[in-house]
């Protein structure tokens, strides 16, 4: 069924809106592995399904190709070339055990870039509520799934947790390291945003400079509410999907 009549004459604003909407729909389907065998519909099928012009379909596919999500070959068709992983946000916080399929269930491995004791920078000290120059462990690493980089993180850890972690083998994910070091934690806070990858980060993550990254600033607190870890995390948006679920709580009507 045609979603709406094709329009042969569109304003620039209308065309950009159509392109954005189709890109959003296809990008979501691609990352959710919604296409059988990774094969996208033909241009004609996309035009009919979404009521889009051929020019809009072709430009949308060109955008997705530049993002590295698809590849197009004459006589073969348009194929998905990425495999994203969905992770529950509550697992990313580390406050609930990961599911069997989660990347945070010993499926990642770190490539450590820096592991050193340093004076805590002033801006990080403000976030952790301690004086600038306080000794801390700076632990920076790239998270690998197989041989493919999915994200990069820089952590600033205060003592006594830093002393426990400094020489502890770092084998899997961050929360596994905390557990192996015997470090308890009760609260995790994320401030999420996005940013274009700078040249150095892009090189580490195997993406083009300027590619969009999910950025997260995380603070982890112990049982007393004391913040002991500040992290700056950059995640590939074409490899990680964070899932957050919430439901309304219905209060029973008061008895009369």
């Amino acid at each position: 069924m045609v979603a709406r009549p094709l329009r042969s004459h569109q304003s620039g604003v209308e065309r950009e809106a159509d392109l954005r909407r189709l890109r959003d729909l296809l990008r979501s389907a691609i990352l959710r592995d919604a296409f059988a065998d990774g094969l996208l519909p033909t241009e004609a099928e996309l035009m009919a399904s979404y009521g889009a012009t051929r020019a809009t379909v072709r430009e949308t596919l060109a955008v997705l190709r530049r993002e590295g999500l698809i590849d197009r070959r004459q006589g073969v068709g348009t194929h998905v070339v990425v495999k994203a992983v969905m992770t529950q946000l509550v697992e990313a916080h580390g406050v609930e055990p990961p599911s069997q399929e989660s990347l945070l269930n010993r499926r990642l491995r770190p490539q450590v870039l820096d592991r050193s004791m340093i004076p805590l920078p002033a801006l990080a000290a403000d976030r952790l509520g301690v004086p600038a120059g306080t000794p801390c462990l700076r632990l920076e690493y790239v998270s690998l799934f197989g041989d493919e980089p999915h994200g990069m993180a820089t952590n600033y850890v205060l003592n006594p947790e830093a002393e426990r972690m400094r020489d502890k083998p770092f084998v899997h994910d961050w929360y596994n390291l905390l557990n192996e070091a015997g470090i308890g934690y009760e609260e995790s806070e994320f401030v999420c945003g996005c940013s274009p990858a700078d040249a150095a980060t892009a090189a580490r993550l195997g993406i083009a400079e300027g590619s969009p990254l999910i950025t997260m600033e995380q603070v982890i607190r112990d049982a007393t509410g004391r913040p002991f870890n500040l992290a700056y995390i950059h995640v590939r948006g074409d490899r990680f999907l964070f899932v957050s679920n919430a439901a309304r709580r219905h209060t029973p009507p008061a008895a009369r």
Side-chain angles (χ1 to χ4, degrees):
M1 179 180 294
V2 177
R4 57 172 173 72
L6 293 173
R7 292 176 295 187
S8 57
H9 300 287
Q10 292 179 287
S11 69
V13 172
E14 290 172 335
R15 186 167 178 276
E16 288 296 325
D18 281 352
L19 192 154
R20 169 176 49 80
R21 293 168 188 143
L22 182 56
R23 179 207 61 203
D24 290 346
L25 290 167
L26 292 180
R27 191 176 195 277
S28 175
I30 289 167
L31 295 179
R32 290 174 174 273
D33 197 22
F35 296 113
D37 300 322
L39 180 64
L40 269 68
T42 65
E43 289 183 4
E45 289 170 336
L46 290 173
M47 291 169 62
S49 296
Y50 299 101
T53 65
R54 185 175 297 276
T56 295
V57 167
R58 287 183 172 177
E59 188 168 352
T60 300
L61 294 176
V63 169
L64 296 173
R65 187 177 186 181
R66 287 196 298 271
E67 289 185 14
L69 302 182
I70 62 173
D71 188 26
R72 307 192 72 197
R73 295 185 182 180
Q74 189 172 2
V76 177
T78 304
H79 284 266
V80 175
V81 294
V82 298
K83 182 69 174 178
V85 178
M86 300 181 72
T87 300
Q88 290 288 333
L89 191 55
V90 68
E91 293 179 1
H93 276 290
V95 295
E96 285 194 7
S99 66
Q100 188 68 29
E101 301 79 18
S102 173
L103 276 188
L104 299 176
N105 190 10
R106 297 173 176 264
R107 298 175 67 196
L108 294 172
R109 65 181 179 90
Q111 179 186 57
V112 176
L113 306 176
D114 178 68
R115 193 171 190 170
S116 56
M117 296 297 295
I118 66 165
L120 188 64
L123 293 177
D126 288 343
R127 292 289 283 121
L128 294 174
V130 297
T134 298
C136 77
L137 171 66
R138 182 177 62 201
L139 181 48
E140 188 168 66
Y141 64 95
V142 173
S143 288
L144 301 173
F145 181 44
D147 292 325
E148 187 174 54
H150 274 50
M152 185 168 74
T154 303
N155 289 267
Y156 300 92
V157 188
L158 298 178
N159 285 320
E161 291 82 2
E163 289 295 335
R164 298 180 188 175
M165 298 176 65
R166 183 168 59 178
D167 300 316
K168 199 71 179 177
F170 192 5
V171 181
H172 297 293
D173 60 84
W174 180 253
Y175 299 114
N176 184 74
L177 175 60
L178 292 180
N179 291 331
E180 291 291 325
I183 296 172
Y185 52 94
E186 294 294 325
E187 183 181 344
S188 169
E189 173 189 281
F190 279 133
V191 178
C192 300
C194 63
S195 66
D198 59 72
T201 303
R204 290 290 186 186
L205 296 182
I207 56 178
E209 183 178 357
S211 297
L213 295 173
I214 301 169
T215 60
M216 295 181 287
E217 179 181 320
Q218 183 183 26
V219 173
I220 301 177
R221 296 179 172 86
D222 66 14
T224 70
R226 176 185 67 94
F228 68 87
N229 181 64
L230 170 67
Y232 295 97
I233 307 166
H234 305 274
V235 178
R236 290 182 58 168
D238 61 343
R239 293 297 185 271
F240 251 113
L241 296 177
F242 292 105
V243 182
S244 179
N245 304 103
R248 294 187 65 180
R249 294 182 180 179
H250 295 277
T251 305
R256 296 185 177 178

